[in-house]
Amino acid sequence: MAPTSTPKTPFGRVLTAMVTPFTADGALDLDGAQRLATHLVDSGNDGLVLNGTTGESPTTTDAEKAQLVRAVVEAVGDRAHVVAGVGTNDTHHSTELARQAEAAGAHGLLAVTPYYSKPPQEGLYRHTVAIADATGLPVMLYDIPGRSGVALSHETLVRLGEHPRIVANKDAKGDVGAASWAIARSDLAWYSGDDILTLPLLSVGAVGVVSVAGHLVAGELRGMIEAFTAGDVAKATSVHQSLLPVFSGIFRTQGVILSKAALNLQGHPAGPLRLPLISATEEEIAVLKQDLAAGGVHL
């Protein structure tokens, strides 16, 4: 039986955390970014997250971040949600990036938990509220303690969800129980930040995914989510299981590395990576081809 109510999906159901294309000499490839964004939206994405970790944000300048947002909004902004990553471990810098993203035309902001500094929960709360207060754009939290070193507690998530512009959470905590607790006590729209946990998180109230595998299988992810929301859990489970080789294969090393390798193999704009990330080795590419083939992805 289909659900009797429709959950809020402020950024759609399927978003991909888009890689940032670079030219062969490592410069920002704005034309390539527009072509890749168009391809991803045509493939089934409701939205694109720019300037996140998958977009190599630690190695792009503030000016490049703004240029990328403007270019992608120009290419797909009338067909997809364009969400700009603005989180840093410097609150002032983050608010500046938020205002810059709004001026560049972004439709929403992604605010990662401040990394490395390990602030207490009150610091996390004040940091995030400062970002939300800097613009009129809706904000998606990004809870990823494996990278940031600190997690948003259940209580802080619920408290942040009371802010009128903090509307969603990208959950990469890997704890379905914690997600279930927070979803039940807040109005935040919950998005899986781990491809392999999208279906389990849907079962406790999530509404979609911010994906890396969406570079390659956005249509399949959409089909899985639509099957689940229509009440066809068996079909959703079947799709989930068919995609397991893709979910695991794309993360055999750092996800950006193999995402760019796959896109380059398919002939889409991606290009090289900026140090400290490095291009996939021939051995890694050979295994990636096997993983993707097992998941039904044609290169």
Side-chain angles (χ1 to χ4, degrees), residues 134-154:
T135 80
L137 297 177
V139 175
M140 178 186 288
L141 307 171
Y142 186 11
D143 190 14
I144 182 166
R147 288 186 186 273
S148 67
V150 64
L152 291 166
S153 71
H154 308 341

Side-chain angles (χ1 to χ4, degrees), residues 43-277:
S43 298
N45 281 287
D46 296 315
L48 301 172
V49 176
L50 309 177
N51 297 326
T53 309
T54 307
E56 297 178 73
S57 60
T59 62
T60 58
T61 67
D62 290 0
E64 287 175 326
K65 289 176 172 65
Q67 292 166 8
L68 182 65
V69 170
R70 281 194 292 270
V72 171
V73 168
E74 180 181 303
V76 300
D78 59 342
R79 297 197 293 134
H81 302 272
V82 178
V83 180
V86 299
T88 72
N89 60 352
D90 173 356
T91 303
H92 178 69
H93 188 199
S94 295
T95 58
E96 288 183 332
L97 288 174
R99 285 187 282 268
Q100 173 182 277
E102 183 179 45
H107 305 134
L109 306 175
L110 180 74
V112 70
T113 307
Y115 41 82
Y116 189 76
S117 302
K118 289 192 173 182
Q121 292 298 311
E122 183 63 23
L124 297 177
Y125 175 80
R126 295 186 192 182
H127 168 88
T128 311
V129 167
I131 294 172
D133 285 344
T135 80
L137 297 177
V139 175
M140 178 186 288
L141 307 171
Y142 186 11
D143 190 14
I144 182 166
R147 288 186 186 273
S148 67
V150 64
L152 291 166
S153 71
H154 308 341
E155 295 80 6
T156 301
L157 282 163
V158 172
R159 188 180 174 199
L160 286 169
E162 296 170 355
H163 191 288
R165 283 185 296 283
I166 299 176
V167 299
N169 182 45
K170 177 185 176 184
D171 181 2
K173 190 179 286 180
D175 186 339
V176 177
S180 182
W181 195 99
I183 290 169
R185 290 162 175 80
S186 78
D187 291 327
L188 291 169
W190 216 261
Y191 290 83
S192 173
D194 288 318
D195 279 297
I196 203 166
L197 291 182
T198 301
L199 184 57
L201 285 169
L202 288 173
S203 74
V204 297
V207 301
V209 60
V210 179
S211 175
V212 175
H215 285 101
L216 307 168
V217 292
E220 290 84 349
L221 291 171
R222 173 173 294 285
M224 180 183 74
I225 293 170
E226 289 178 348
F228 182 86
T229 57
D232 193 342
V233 177
K235 180 179 179 181
T237 302
S238 177
V239 176
H240 166 79
Q241 292 175 346
S242 73
L243 293 176
L244 288 174
V246 180
F247 297 157
S248 59
I250 207 76
F251 289 107
R252 287 188 184 274
T253 185
Q254 214 274 1
V256 185
I257 293 173
L258 293 180
S259 295
K260 282 198 164 183
L263 289 168
N264 285 326
L265 286 168
Q266 288 183 327
H268 298 300
L273 296 96
R274 290 180 176 175
L275 286 170
L277 298 181

